[in-house]
């Protein structure tokens, strides 16, 4: 079961995708379908078949996005979160081997195409919730428990220079 939490940035991205699909991509493909249909015999018309397939995919994604956007709850940053790991936090962790990882804890809709985002539903995120710097988090994995230590917690992306 997916958590219905999302960051403001994540919601903006879903809305942007929906607008693009509905206002730009779908009309473009609809035009191609109309053009291909005007050529006559549709049974052997690859353009027609391919663009009809694309239209079905677009419509399916649009329906999904509309339902998802209604279902999600935006979690805004709150100063009370400072010093602890909560939704929306950038976390840096380290294990006993000195291996470090840095990622942001986000909603399940936001992780695609990002290797520095971890879903709030993931065992790693669950193990880190409410932890503070220097706390130990035990993450249950298929290969056994892994211990990680919290090095840093931030609610702004530390890689972005705000100066």
């Amino acid at each position: 079961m997916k958590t219905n939490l999302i960051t403001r940035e994540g919601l903006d991205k879903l809305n942007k995708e929906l607008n693009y699909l509905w206002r730009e991509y779908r009309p473009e493909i609809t035009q191609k379908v109309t053009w291909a249909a005007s050529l006559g015999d549709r049974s052997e018309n690859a353009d027609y078949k391919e663009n009809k397939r694309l239209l079905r995919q677009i419509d399916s994604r649009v329906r999904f996005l509309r339902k998802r956007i209604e279902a999600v709850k935006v979690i805004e940053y709150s100063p009370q979160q400072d010093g602890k790991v909560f939704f929306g936090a950038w976390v840096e962790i380290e294990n006993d081997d000195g291996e470090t990882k840095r990622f942001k804890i986000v909603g399940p809709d936001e992780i695609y195409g990002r290797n520095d985002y971890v879903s709030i539903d993931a065992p790693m995120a669950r193990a880190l919730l409410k932890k503070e710097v220097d706390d130990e988090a035990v993450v249950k994995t298929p290969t056994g428990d892994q211990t990680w230590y919290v090095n840093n917690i931030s609610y702004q992306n530390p890689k972005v220079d705000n100066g």
Side-chain angles (χ1 to χ4, degrees):
M1 160 105 174
K2 279 211 263 192
T3 303
N4 285 337
L5 304 180
I6 198 165
T7 62
R8 169 73 49 208
E9 176 188 27
L11 181 63
D12 291 348
K13 199 170 173 189
L14 291 183
N15 277 315
K16 188 176 173 186
E17 181 186 356
L18 177 62
N19 281 332
Y20 166 75
L21 288 174
W22 190 248
R23 296 210 164 96
E24 291 176 43
Y25 195 46
R26 191 178 193 287
E28 176 190 319
I29 300 301
T30 303
Q31 212 170 10
K32 287 180 181 176
V33 167
T34 305
W35 170 80
S38 72
L39 300 177
D41 186 8
R42 293 177 192 172
S43 64
E44 293 181 17
N45 187 330
D47 274 334
Y48 178 80
K49 287 179 177 174
E50 176 58 18
N51 287 302
K52 282 297 277 186
R53 188 186 64 76
L54 270 176
L55 262 186
R56 285 192 300 275
Q57 285 180 335
I58 293 167
D59 289 346
S60 173
R61 182 69 181 160
V62 163
R63 277 191 305 277
F64 170 81
L65 287 170
R66 285 186 172 151
K67 284 182 186 162
R68 195 66 189 142
I69 288 167
E70 277 181 29
V72 294
K73 180 179 190 304
V74 174
I75 302 297
E76 302 285 0
Y77 162 75
S78 160
Q80 290 112 334
Q81 295 172 218
D82 282 343
K84 288 191 181 216
V85 177
F86 288 107
F87 187 84
W90 283 95
V91 186
E92 183 184 287
I93 56 174
E94 186 174 350
N95 65 13
D96 289 326
D97 298 331
E99 180 188 354
T100 62
K101 293 181 185 284
R102 196 183 144 283
F103 50 82
K104 184 176 185 178
I105 297 176
V106 296
D109 299 287
E110 301 176 74
I111 58 174
Y112 303 101
R114 297 290 303 246
N115 58 5
D116 59 344
Y117 279 14
V118 169
S119 170
I120 186 78
D121 297 331
M124 176 68 84
R126 292 283 181 209
L128 288 168
L129 286 178
K130 299 183 182 162
K131 300 286 189 230
E132 299 177 34
V133 171
D134 294 330
D135 280 357
E136 183 179 294
V138 178
V139 183
K140 303 216 176 291
T141 72
T143 58
D145 292 355
Q146 289 183 357
T147 304
W148 292 88
Y149 305 94
V150 179
N151 283 346
N152 190 334
I153 303 164
S154 170
Y155 285 89
Q156 275 77 45
N157 186 343
K159 281 189 178 170
V160 176
D161 182 10
N162 293 326

